[in-house]
Amino acid sequence: MYSMINIPYRIILVVLTLFYIDYTSSKKLFDMYGKGAWAHSTEIKFQCFSGDSLIRLSNGENKQIAYLKSGDEILTIEQSKIVSTQMIMMLDKQISKEALFYKLRTESGHEISLTDFHLIPIISSNGNQTYLAAKHIQIGDFLYVLFNDKLQYSPVINITIEIKKGYYAPLTMKGTLLVNDVLASCFAYAKNHHLAQLYMFPFRLYYKLTRFFYLNDSFNNYKSEGLHWIIAIMFDFARYFRPETLFS
């Protein structure tokens, strides 16, 4: 019964996504927001955070990333303020596959493991926030960290590369989240975090719609493993029509 009720909403999501991709792919929008979008690889994968990552919830508790579910209230940082955001879905989830991670350690003792092209915000030399791929982070770059429940900036003092089993790519309403109390983007392979967040508008709208009708786990987070099918469609679109916007 639930699956039958959920079918119209899936159709709505596909229509919204395809319409929105067509609209946002115009040159005017790209000139306005800059270039950046989705993954570019012969093997489509999003990857993201290692399976041993802990996510800070709004109630102050930590939750292992593998157990996140739609509707979870998660802490993040917005305009230098600690705010709450909701977990929408897993863009990619692989329980047993291995991936290469960049493990960043800060002076404050925080650690976060991300795949090579996953975005993470740093404080640039002019004091502004900018997003870099994990593999482009350098010693001395300042990350946003939560220390004693307060926002601080801490420099990276060590970078190691390691192989771990399992990776997860959660999407939140804000497009960011605190992983091991380090602020990170939800997006990988995107050259522009803000444009990637813009492309997620149909997912945010669909999520709000299904929550309004009390439909839980409308994205099948519990059952599905691998790259979400609608994300795969968006990857293909970006790969063939906007390859210049992607890390390769």
Side-chain angles (χ1 to χ4, degrees):
M1 179 65 179
Y2 168 76
S3 59
M4 292 297 294
I5 294 175
N6 206 19
I7 289 175
Y9 299 104
R10 292 178 182 274
I11 295 174
I12 291 172
L13 177 60
V14 173
V15 173
L16 283 172
T17 301
L18 294 179
F19 172 79
Y20 198 69
I21 287 175
D22 180 68
Y23 174 75
T24 55
S25 64
S26 66
K27 185 178 185 300
K28 180 179 179 181
L29 190 66
F30 267 73
D31 290 340
M32 183 183 303
Y33 287 96
K35 295 182 177 180
W38 300 106
H40 180 40
S41 171
T42 53
E43 179 186 357
I44 300 177
K45 54 187 177 181
F46 206 88
Q47 297 187 349
C48 210
F49 305 106
S50 60
D52 57 359
S53 300
L54 296 176
I55 307 302
R56 177 64 72 98
L57 303 181
S58 296
N59 62 9
E61 297 179 356
N62 286 312
K63 191 173 190 177
Q64 192 168 343
I65 195 169
Y67 298 110
L68 286 178
K69 61 181 185 296
S70 294
D72 278 348
E73 293 286 341
I74 297 172
L75 286 184
T76 188
I77 307 296
E78 186 176 54
Q79 297 180 347
S80 298
K81 294 182 180 180
I82 302 172
V83 298
S84 179
T85 186
Q86 286 190 349
M87 159 74 174
I88 298 177
M89 63 180 291
M90 282 290 180
L91 300 173
D92 196 0
K93 179 175 70 173
Q94 293 290 351
I95 298 173
S96 57
K97 284 189 176 181
E98 292 184 337
L100 193 70
F101 292 91
Y102 283 72
K103 184 177 180 180
L104 312 177
R105 180 178 175 82
T106 66
E107 190 175 69
S108 58
H110 292 77
E111 293 182 347
I112 183 172
S113 295
L114 316 95
T115 48
D116 49 2
F117 288 117
H118 191 88
L119 296 180
I120 185 168
I122 68 167
I123 306 297
S124 61
S125 57
N126 59 9
N128 294 326
Q129 182 188 86
T130 185
Y131 285 83
L132 295 180
K135 68 180 300 180
H136 297 152
I137 296 294
Q138 299 179 354
I139 299 295
D141 284 341
F142 280 80
L143 304 184
Y144 294 83
V145 301
L146 198 63
F147 190 76
N148 292 331
D149 295 326
K150 293 182 180 180
L151 175 63
Q152 293 187 5
Y153 314 123
S154 186
V156 175
I157 61 172
N158 189 51
I159 301 174
T160 56
I161 300 176
E162 55 189 9
I163 295 176
K164 292 184 178 182
K165 180 182 291 186
Y167 53 84
Y168 300 81
L171 174 66
T172 68
M173 290 292 289
K174 298 288 187 183
T176 56
L177 71 168
L178 285 169
V179 180
N180 297 338
D181 285 343
V182 179
L183 181 64
S185 168
C186 291
F187 309 118
Y189 291 95
K191 288 184 178 180
N192 187 308
H193 164 85
H194 301 291
L195 188 60
Q197 174 68 351
L198 184 67
Y199 266 69
M200 289 293 101
F201 170 76
F203 292 85
R204 296 193 297 273
L205 182 61
Y206 175 73
Y207 171 75
K208 288 183 177 180
L209 180 64
T210 55
R211 297 290 286 186
F212 178 79
F213 287 101
Y214 302 101
L215 297 178
N216 295 319
D217 193 31
S218 53
F219 294 99
N220 286 331
N221 285 320
Y222 303 122
K223 298 179 181 179
S224 61
E225 185 175 354
L227 189 68
H228 195 278
W229 62 274
I230 194 67
I231 296 298
I233 292 175
M234 297 179 76
F235 275 161
D236 278 334
F237 178 90
R239 180 169 57 180
Y240 291 111
F241 296 103
R242 298 294 179 183
E244 75 280 3
T245 68
L246 313 171
F247 286 120
S248 59

